Amino acid sequence: IGMLTNLVLLGLNGVNLSGTVPTEIGNLHDLETLSLAENANLGGTVPTELGNLLNPKVILLQYTGLHGTVPLALCQALARRPGSYLMMTDRYLDGTASMSCPENCPCLVNDNVYEGMTV
């Protein structure tokens, strides 16, 4: 996937992805929109390599199994473009944290993931 350097939009929401987010996505320097939402079996953390994106506008990561803190490099890349944002899930239904954003990161948060429900 890292060879698709002119790719502007990568929409893979709701396609039953599993495993982790490939670090090679960070090589897609022209990528503006990345949607990995609604892939509950996609786990691990958000790769720091996503901070290599030159002009990201929309990153959709809600309703996945991703966890941890959004990399600061990705937040800085989003902050370079006014109106850019990352949509993520804040916590699971049981109250445990799933993902968090560093201060001043343009994150929009869906409060809960309700296990077993289609949203």
Side-chain angles (χ1 to χ4, degrees), residues 82-96:
S84 296
Y85 64 91
L86 180 147
M87 177 74 78
M88 64 175 210
T89 304
D90 181 33
R91 60 185 173 273
Y92 297 108
L93 183 58
D94 66 4
T96 59

Side-chain angles (χ1 to χ4, degrees), residues 32-49:
E32 294 182 359
T33 302
L34 173 63
S35 179
L36 301 175
E38 299 180 27
N39 286 291
N41 295 318
L42 187 63
T45 59
V46 179
T48 57
E49 289 82 359

Side-chain angles (χ1 to χ4, degrees), residues 3-92:
M3 304 288 282
L4 303 171
T5 55
N6 294 322
L7 193 65
V8 176
L9 182 144
L10 181 58
L12 296 171
N13 50 308
V15 296
N16 296 316
L17 293 176
S18 60
T20 59
V21 178
T23 59
E24 293 83 6
I25 291 177
N27 295 335
L28 306 176
H29 299 292
D30 291 338
L31 193 67
E32 294 182 359
T33 302
L34 173 63
S35 179
L36 301 175
E38 299 180 27
N39 286 291
N41 295 318
L42 187 63
T45 59
V46 179
T48 57
E49 289 82 359
L50 291 187
N52 295 336
L53 300 176
L54 298 177
N55 206 18
K57 182 174 182 177
V58 177
I59 308 289
L60 302 175
L61 303 176
Q62 70 273 32
Y63 308 114
T64 66
L66 295 169
H67 61 274
T69 301
V70 174
L72 184 57
L74 178 56
C75 293
Q76 291 168 337
L78 287 163
R80 287 192 298 262
R81 184 170 182 177
S84 296
Y85 64 91
L86 180 147
M87 177 74 78
M88 64 175 210
T89 304
D90 181 33
R91 60 185 173 273
Y92 297 108

